[in-house]
Each structure stands twice: as structure tokens, then as C-alpha cells.
Amino acid sequence: AQKITQTQPGMFVQEKEAVTLDCTYDTSDQSYGLFWYKQPSSGEMIFLIYQGSYDEQNATEGRYSLNFQKARKSANLVISASQLGDSAMYFCAMREVDNYGQNFVFGPGTRLSVLP
Amino acid sequence: DADVTQTPRNRITKTGKRIMLECSQTKGHDRMYWYRQDPGLGLQLIYYSFDVKDINKGEISDGYSVSRQAQAKFSLSLESAIPNQTALYFCATSAGYSNQPQHFGDGTRLSIL
């Protein structure tokens, strides 16, 4: 069963508008972490934001915020005031404990295109 | 200098050749990972290592092997490359705390003809 679901293969947003990228996850652990990464066309993976399962406040990092709804098992990324440089693939990932310790699982990604 | 360095950055080779991709890190992390990314898709875990004496298979380990030569070095080998192993390969490291992200190298673009 897929542990991380990103239902939007592609998204478009107008420059300067906000956009929400969806992520739902599946785990039976009580302690886990959720991460978002950005992959521009140049290929590198850039860490954006982290949310812990016990964090009561939604995480924020500059223009990025994470809308964490634990009961619904969702961790959506919100990008405010989109810029052309935000055009990239975005991956949601979860760190949970497995039999070998803590490991990471990635979603399939969402390609965001910011329109001028 | 990059914290996680992968060499080579690009490689074109022929079917049947042995290939080694190397990864070194200066972050002092115990945990290292190798991932494969096919065009337009997410990351698939090939192998991971939580310390020098620990090697674990990921979801797609067939056709690959790894060596953890030191805490800072983790290499990936394709013993006999085949065209469907053409992909972008990432090395990553992480600390052992649950709130710490993975740190990725810039990737190796591997093409097998």
C-alpha cells in the first residue's frame, strides 16, 4: 500500500498567488516526521519544511507553510506569493520507524508550474 | 564545498559494463542512502546504511550492490549494467533524530546504451 499519496501530478498557479500542494500519508506509528522537498529542473533535492507528528503548531518557513491535519493524515504544503522560481517538482516524504530504525518514504511528486 | 558529494555527475556507458557511483559526506551523519529516480517519478530506495557495519536492502536492490568504506563514504555498484538502469541516482545522508531531514547530493545522471 502506498504510504504517501500526492494526488496532483501537475498544478498551475499564477505568479503572486498562493497554491496548495496536497499530501496524505498512511502510518500506524504515533511518532513520525513529515517533510517537503523541492526539485527544480536542474535536478537537486532541496529540503523546504518539516512537521513533527507531535507538533501542535503548523510549521512555517518563509513563504512555505504546512497545513497539518493529523486526524485526516494530511500534510499539505502552502506556497504563498508564488514566484517563477517556484516552478519545480515537489515531493512529500515521511520518516517513520520500521524494523531497522527510522526510514524515509517519498510520494510520487507534484509538478508545479508558475505562470507569469 | 557541498556537504554531500557524488561522483561522477554524469556517466554514459554500455550494457554489461561494471559501474561504480561514489558518495562522500562531510556532515558527520551515520546514515547514508542510495535512491534511484526515473524521469517524472519519485524516489525509490536502493540500499541504505545506518553505520559502517550495517547494510540494508531497499525496495529495488536487485542488480545493485553497495559498500560502506567509512562513515563518510558509501558507494553504489552496478555489476553488469542494463539499459533499464538508466536513471538519476541520488545519495543522501541523515542524522538519527526523527526531526532531521535527509541531505542530498546533486545526483548522478547515468545513461546505459
Side-chain angles (χ1 to χ4, degrees):
Chain A
Q2 196 159 15
K3 292 196 170 186
I4 299 285
T5 302
Q6 295 180 254
T7 57
Q8 307 151 315
M11 288 279 288
F12 291 90
V13 64
Q14 208 68 38
E15 192 178 10
K16 300 181 184 178
E17 293 185 351
V19 63
T20 298
L21 306 184
D22 294 341
C23 173
T24 57
Y25 59 91
D26 180 27
T27 182
S28 56
D29 288 349
Q30 295 302 308
S31 176
Y32 52 89
L34 297 157
F35 303 82
W36 277 91
Y37 290 85
K38 172 184 178 181
Q39 186 180 38
S41 58
S42 50
E44 70 270 28
M45 294 287 285
I46 302 166
F47 165 67
L48 295 178
I49 196 168
Y50 162 81
Q51 179 84 41
S53 59
Y54 292 119
D55 294 342
E56 295 184 354
Q57 303 268 11
N58 285 340
T60 61
E61 289 287 347
R63 293 187 299 111
Y64 304 109
S65 60
L66 205 153
N67 183 359
F68 181 47
Q69 298 185 50
K70 191 171 181 177
R72 299 179 64 180
K73 294 188 175 179
S74 74
N76 298 339
L77 177 70
V78 181
I79 306 174
S80 63
S82 297
Q83 302 172 355
L84 295 178
D86 293 334
S87 294
M89 283 289 287
Y90 289 81
F91 292 98
C92 179
M94 176 172 62
R95 185 172 193 174
E96 59 175 0
V97 179
D98 63 15
N99 289 336
Y100 302 100
Q102 296 177 350
N103 225 337
F104 292 82
V105 177
F106 284 80
T110 294
R111 182 172 297 282
L112 178 65
S113 299
V114 180
L115 305 175
Chain B
D1 288 339
D3 295 323
V4 183
T5 302
Q6 292 184 233
T7 56
R9 292 294 313 279
N10 295 280
R11 177 80 183 271
I12 301 173
T13 190
K14 294 181 178 180
T15 298
K17 294 289 189 182
R18 183 179 187 275
I19 302 160
M20 179 179 287
L21 309 183
E22 300 192 9
C23 178
S24 62
Q25 52 121 342
T26 58
K27 298 197 70 69
H29 290 162
D30 288 329
R31 299 172 183 222
M32 298 187 74
Y33 308 77
W34 276 105
Y35 289 94
R36 166 181 170 158
Q37 185 181 30
D38 292 294
L41 299 179
L43 299 177
Q44 295 177 283
L45 182 62
I46 306 172
Y47 271 96
Y48 60 101
S49 168
F50 284 173
D51 64 42
V52 174
K53 297 180 181 179
D54 175 74
I55 300 288
N56 303 287
K57 292 183 178 181
E59 54 189 311
I60 57 161
S61 58
D62 287 349
Y64 302 94
S65 63
V66 291
S67 173
R68 184 82 183 265
Q69 302 94 322
Q71 187 209 33
K73 295 183 182 294
F74 192 37
S75 60
L76 175 72
S77 294
L78 289 69
E79 295 300 326
S80 180
I82 56 177
N84 75 1
Q85 292 177 311
T86 294
L88 179 59
Y89 289 84
F90 285 105
C91 174
T93 74
S94 73
Y97 304 105
S98 63
N99 65 345
Q100 295 300 304
Q102 289 176 306
H103 299 264
F104 286 83
D106 287 340
T108 295
R109 292 189 184 275
L110 179 62
S111 296
I112 300 165
L113 306 177

